[in-house]
Each structure stands twice: as C-alpha cells, then as structure tokens.
Amino acid sequence: MKLDYVEVCGFRGFRDKVRVDFGRGFTIITGRNGVGKSTLCDAVEYAVLGELGKYPVESAAKETVKDYVWWRGEGTPQAYYVTAAFRDDEGKPFSVTRTREGGTDKTDAELENALCEGAMPEDPLRQLCKTAIIRDEWIAALSLDLTETQRFELVRSALGAIEGADLATRAKAVVNVAEAAFSRVEQNYEQARSQLSAGLIQLSEANDAAARSEDVSAAMAVLDKVAPASLGDLAQRLDAARRSLPTQQRRLQGMGEAVFQGREVMAYQESVNGPDATDKRAKAKASLEAARAVLTAAQDAIDRAARSLKVEEEASAIAASLAALVEHGEALGVHDDRCPLCAARRTSAEFQAGIEAARLRIDSLAAGVNAARVALAEARAQAVEPAQLVHEAEEVWAAHEKEAEALRAREQAHVELFERHGLDFKFVTDPDGLEQELQSERDRLIDVERALNVLEASRAVERLTSVDSRVATFRRQVDATADDLASAQKAVAMAKSLEKSVRRSASEIVDERLALISPLLNELYQRLRPHSDWRSIEYSIRGDVRRFLSLKVGNDLNPQFVFSSGQRRAAGLAFLLSVHLARSWARWGTLLLDDPVQHIDDFRALHLVEVLAAFRQSGRQIVCAVEDEALADLLCRRLLSSAEEMGRRFTIDTGPNGSAKVIEKIDIMPMPTGVLRNTRSQQVAS
C-alpha cells in the first residue's frame, strides 16, 4: 500500500483546492520556508488520525490546535476537507476524506484493515503515523531525547503485538479472579466477625438484664392497657407494644404542635375579634355605607342631568326645524292675506308678530340645551369626591376582611391538625387543657416504655440461652471463614507468582524481537556517520516490570549528552529509520520525511541521500520535503525511478491571495539502460 495522492481545500495554508499526485517511486517537494511543504505531511496525518500530533502544546491563549487546522486567512474556501488516497500493489485504490463539518467517511476499523495487517499494536493508526512520518522538529524528541522507558515503549509499540502476549493477559485475569475470590472470602470473614461481635454484645446485654429484677406485675398491668391478651402471647404483645411506640410519639408531637398553634390562634382571635377591632370594623362598615349612599345620590343627580340634557337636545332639534320653517315663511311673506305656511288669513302685521313669537321660542329652546350641559358637568364633578371616598372606604373594609379570612384559615388549619392526629375536638379552643392532656399522654408513654423494658428483662434468661447458642455458631463460622481466607491468600500469592513468571517470559520474547533492530540501527548509524570517532551505537535493555532501553556510544557514553544538535539529529534519524523498517505489521510502505536535514551538515545530508536511495531500491516509496534546491536535485538523481514506479518533483509557493499552491510539477524519467556505458564509449571514441 503506497500513497497515491493528497487533495486539500481550506486546510491550513491551502485556501483553494490543490491536489498532489505522488510518484509511486518517490516524490520530492521543494519550496522556501513557510510555503506549505509540511502541510502536505499534515494532510496525510490528519486524514488518517483526525488530529495533528506535532504540536507539544494543545492549547494557548484560550485557543487550541483545532482552531488552526482549517484556513484562517483572507477569503472563503469553496470547501473544507482533506483527502488522502492510497493504492496497493494490485492497483486497488483506497481513500479517506475528513471534512470540517462532517468528520471522516471511514471508520478506524476500515483504516486499520487497509493500512495494517497481522499482529497490530495498540492504537495502530497512531503508531503508523508516528513511525511513517518523520518530522524535523521531532527527530531528536522521539529518539535520543526520550526517557529510557519511553524509548522502550516506542520500540515495543512499533514492533506490534508479541506472539503469546495474551498469556500475560490471561495471567493477569487469573490474578484478578484470585483477588476477587479473596475479597469475597475476606468480606465473609468480616461479616462473620461482625455477627460474632454483635452476638457477644447481645450476650452481655442478656446477662445484665438477667441480673436486674423489677416489679413485673405492674408492668403487665400497663401492657394490658396497651396490648391486651387477645393479641397473642407475651412476645407478640411486646412486639405490638413496641411497634405502637412510634405512633404514640408522633401523636405527642402533634399534640405539642396543636398546643402551640391553639395559643397562636387565640392570640390572633383576640387581635381580630377584640372590642377595639370590632369597633374599627363597625366604623369602617358605616363609613363605607355612608360613602356609597353619597355616591348613589351623586350618580342619581348625574342620571337626572343626563335625561334633562337628552330632552333639551331633542327640543333643540325641534327648534332647528322650526327656525328653517320660519326663515322659509319669512322669505315667502303674506300672499293674498294668507300665511304661506298654514294658509290661514293673516294680515301682514299678524304674520310678522307670529314670526317674532316663533323666533323667541327658538331662542328659548337653544338656551335650554346649554344650561342642561352645564348642569350635567356640575353633577359629574360633584360625584368625583364621593367616588374617591367609596374607594378609600372599600380598601379599609377589605383590610378588615383579609384579617378575618386569615383568622378563618388559621382556625381551619388548627382543626385539620386535630383531625390528622386524631385529637379530641373539645380541646380546639382549650390549649391549656390540651397541654395537660399532653403531659398525661407523655407520662403514659414513659410508663409503657418502662414496662416494656421490665418485661423484656424478665425474659432475659430465655434470651441468654438463645444468644449463647448463636454466639457458638458464629464462632464456628469465623473459624471456617478464617481457613478459607488463608487458602485464598495462598491462591493470590500463587497467581501473582505465575503472572510474574509469564511477564518475565514475555519480556524475554520482547528482547528477542528488539534484537532484530540492533543490526538495522547499527547499519543506519554507520551510514549516516553522526560522529567521526564513534562509528557504532549499541543499545541495552534492563528491568523486569518497568523496561528501559538505553543507547550508548564509544566508552559507554550517552549520546544524548555528548552529541551536538546536528549529531543528535543524525543519530535520531538512524534510530527512527530502524524503527520504521522493523514494523512487520504495516501494509503502508511509504516513508515521509519533513525537512530532515535541518541542523545537519552537508556531509551527513549526502549520507542520508544514500540511505534513502537504498530504501528506494528495496521498493519503499519515499516522500521528502526539503528547502534546499540543490539537495532536491540530488535526491531526484539518486532515488530510483522506473517506468512502473515513477518519481516526481513538486515546487510549492504562495499565491497572490496568500494561499499555498503548486507552481511546478516535474516527472522524473527513469535513466535509460546502459546510459553510462554508452556515454563512456562515446568519450573513448572521441
């Protein structure tokens, strides 16, 4: 399985859609620093894992790495996604796409089945990315700078699951079962001890009760009142009396509460129904009735004025009609000594006199309307003060009514309290009498409890025999569970010893597997030549439970402390490349290197090129991002390219909109067969 292509859009520095089709043999990516070379490695990792593991800090300044996965520059991408496609040796494709909105289109199980096989380690996808993608900033951090335990765990995880490792799991399961059985036996033992302790306490109490002697006849008389003989034998009667005690105690509590409430109700009745309160309520009632009478008279005056206004308005309408008629008649005048309106004989003087009389009548009717309106307004004004007085009187009366309603509510609650506790209603208005009854009931309850104690003490001899028998049984149970506890402890010790042996065997298996890395590590170390004097590197493993993997050079020296920055990176590359080659469970045969030559001199960079050329000859796909153009040229010449597994070179740069893009793509053609021999022959001939 090799990397086919990566397509990104809206991912980190790539705003627009960019697709990079990798050469099946190798791919070299160049470009100045910061143009997006590393983002292509990020895209592969994010497509597989859904996260970026190269940042040691998850959050800072209230932001997280997730806030910087997608494009944050100017402009809006067409979409937000990243796709990584793979193709196996038979040409069968497989791809995974992750989007900002919808997540991934493949499950972890599908990814594991496509990219891994055989005995996979825990969290195989994370281990796959950690060992297939080698980044400049993590070369030393994931190799020499690790603690010895972390370095061992890294190598163990890269090797995958160890055959027979399930034996350790089974041994641990045996230990868990043995410990669980021990816990159950220990719990039974503690329970038996607790029962024995309780039995011993009961035995002591029975002995004390048998030593006491009190008047039983008086106690029986009290018991007869509480639990008569019809309830059964003495034990049943005592039990019934004991079970009745909580009810009687709750009744006493209810009586005490009723006494308190009764006194509160009486005090409230005194404040509401006392002479002063009654007098105030009567005055308020009288004031309300007087105010309402005055308001009624004022409203009657308003009604009369309104009716007068209505009459006058009707008369005014008649006056208007009459005025029109008079004006019409006056305009016509007397014709043939007859009135033009009624045709009666009239002289001009009589007609004029009638016109004047009609005008006087019209004026009289018009004046009546104005007077009626004035009278209505005055009546309404006079009704304002009575209405205000009625409102105030009603508020005063409502306050008295509210007090009376509150009193009735308290009285009702007091009655309900009597009903709830079954108290005698004759004490509803007599809290003092109820308090006396409460004292009597309390004394009776004390007598009942004392009688029960006396009668139970009288049965102490019988109880003593029964308790002594139970204590003997408890002792036998404690002895038996103690034997079981000792057996369980032996079983736990044997299980732990077995687990320790299995772990030691598993560790030996791991040591044998780790021994496979030693030749690879030494070979790669010698090829990269981190140090001119110390030509080889050795590792050692120690520890049974916690395992440690240490690296040594020269005279048992730790390279972490004696190597320079560049030397540590070169040695770290040798370590990580050996781990990469030791993975037998990975189907994905691609090695991605993100600018691996930072802080490494040209001499060791040339050696790295030769190592990668050897990797390429073994059929492994190489993807390498470098900033140095000359180094990119050298890689393109030295890495093997064939017709079936072509090489490619991409140049990345930033476009005018700030988004990264591919500005150049070159296919690296395979070198023709015999080209060097032909070239040599031509030189000799010339």
Side-chain angles (χ1 to χ4, degrees), residues 602-615:
D602 294 342
F603 177 72
R604 293 180 180 86
L606 292 176
H607 288 300
L608 176 61
V609 172
E610 296 304 318
V611 169
L612 295 180
F615 274 44

Side-chain angles (χ1 to χ4, degrees), residues 344-361:
R345 286 190 174 276
R346 292 287 187 273
T347 63
S348 296
E350 289 174 344
F351 178 74
Q352 191 64 36
I355 291 297
E356 293 297 331
R359 290 187 184 279
L360 291 175
R361 177 60 178 163

Side-chain angles (χ1 to χ4, degrees), residues 357-482:
R359 290 187 184 279
L360 291 175
R361 177 60 178 163
I362 291 170
D363 294 339
S364 175
L365 291 174
V369 172
N370 294 331
R373 288 175 177 167
V374 172
L376 178 59
E378 291 177 353
R380 287 175 175 169
Q382 292 175 359
V384 172
E385 184 177 357
Q388 181 64 28
L389 293 176
V390 168
H391 178 70
E392 294 174 355
E394 287 177 344
E395 288 183 347
V396 174
W397 178 250
H400 287 289
E401 286 294 311
K402 188 175 181 181
E403 288 184 348
E405 183 64 26
L407 175 60
R408 287 192 293 272
R410 288 195 175 190
E411 291 173 344
Q412 181 62 29
H414 190 49
V415 171
E416 291 175 355
L417 180 62
F418 270 71
E419 293 176 349
R420 188 163 57 252
H421 294 285
L423 305 181
D424 194 344
F425 283 98
K426 70 179 181 180
F427 297 114
V428 170
T429 58
D430 185 13
D432 294 334
L434 182 61
E435 187 174 21
Q436 294 178 0
E437 183 69 15
L438 170 63
Q439 186 61 41
S440 300
E441 289 283 346
R442 185 179 289 114
D443 293 340
R444 282 195 293 271
L445 182 61
I446 293 173
D447 292 340
V448 171
E449 291 179 339
R450 185 181 297 114
L452 291 177
N453 291 332
V454 170
L455 293 175
E456 288 176 349
S458 67
R459 300 175 59 217
V461 176
E462 298 177 2
R463 290 178 58 199
L464 182 61
T465 303
S466 175
V467 170
D468 188 34
S469 176
R470 289 202 302 272
V471 167
T473 302
F474 292 153
R475 283 198 176 101
R476 289 193 295 272
Q477 291 178 351
V478 169
D479 293 339
T481 52

Side-chain angles (χ1 to χ4, degrees), residues 490 514 601:
K490 292 180 180 178
L514 288 175
D601 56 28

Side-chain angles (χ1 to χ4, degrees), residues 672-686:
T673 304
V675 62
L676 296 179
R677 183 173 61 254
N678 294 336
T679 303
R680 177 63 178 170
S681 299
Q682 292 174 3
Q683 291 176 350
V684 171
S686 60

Side-chain angles (χ1 to χ4, degrees), residues 143-390:
S143 55
L144 269 66
D145 290 349
L146 291 176
T147 64
E148 294 178 332
T149 55
Q150 292 172 338
R151 191 180 300 126
F152 175 84
E153 184 60 27
L154 173 69
V155 176
R156 188 197 64 80
S157 300
L159 290 176
I162 304 299
E163 294 82 356
D166 58 336
L167 294 177
T169 303
R170 293 179 183 179
K172 182 61 177 178
V174 171
V175 172
N176 292 336
V177 171
E179 289 179 342
F182 175 76
S183 298
R184 288 194 299 271
V185 173
E186 187 178 28
Q187 184 177 1
N188 294 336
Y189 176 73
E190 294 298 332
Q191 184 177 0
R193 288 285 303 272
S194 177
Q195 291 176 344
L196 177 60
S197 299
L200 292 174
I201 293 174
Q202 292 177 1
L203 184 62
S204 176
E205 292 176 349
N207 286 324
D208 292 341
R212 295 194 300 267
S213 176
E214 298 188 24
D215 190 0
V216 178
S217 60
M220 287 297 300
V222 175
L223 181 63
D224 290 339
K225 297 178 183 179
V226 179
S230 59
L231 294 179
D233 58 15
L234 180 60
Q236 293 173 332
R237 294 170 63 193
L238 289 173
D239 182 64
R242 278 291 182 192
R243 285 188 283 105
S244 68
L245 291 180
T247 302
Q248 297 181 32
Q249 290 172 350
R250 288 194 295 271
R251 176 180 168 82
L252 289 179
Q253 293 176 356
M255 293 176 70
E257 186 178 356
V259 170
F260 178 75
Q261 281 192 10
R263 288 184 174 141
E264 280 193 339
V265 169
M266 290 184 65
Y268 199 59
Q269 286 175 342
E270 180 65 24
S271 66
V272 174
N273 297 330
D276 293 340
T278 303
D279 183 57
K280 290 180 180 179
R281 189 161 53 253
K283 289 180 179 180
K285 184 66 174 177
S287 298
L288 178 60
E289 291 176 352
R292 285 176 175 173
V294 173
L295 179 60
T296 301
Q299 289 176 342
D300 291 342
I302 291 173
D303 293 340
R304 289 194 299 273
R307 287 194 296 273
S308 297
L309 177 59
K310 184 177 181 181
V311 171
E312 292 298 335
E313 287 177 345
E314 292 175 353
S316 178
I318 295 172
S321 300
L322 182 59
L325 184 62
V326 169
E327 289 178 359
H328 181 65
E330 189 176 14
L332 294 175
V334 178
H335 184 69
D336 293 336
D337 293 331
R338 290 185 181 274
C339 177
L341 301 177
C342 61
R345 286 190 174 276
R346 292 287 187 273
T347 63
S348 296
E350 289 174 344
F351 178 74
Q352 191 64 36
I355 291 297
E356 293 297 331
R359 290 187 184 279
L360 291 175
R361 177 60 178 163
I362 291 170
D363 294 339
S364 175
L365 291 174
V369 172
N370 294 331
R373 288 175 177 167
V374 172
L376 178 59
E378 291 177 353
R380 287 175 175 169
Q382 292 175 359
V384 172
E385 184 177 357
Q388 181 64 28
L389 293 176
V390 168

Side-chain angles (χ1 to χ4, degrees), residues 46 83 138 412 512 520 608:
Y46 191 79
T83 299
W138 285 99
Q412 181 62 29
E512 293 177 359
L520 289 174
L608 176 61

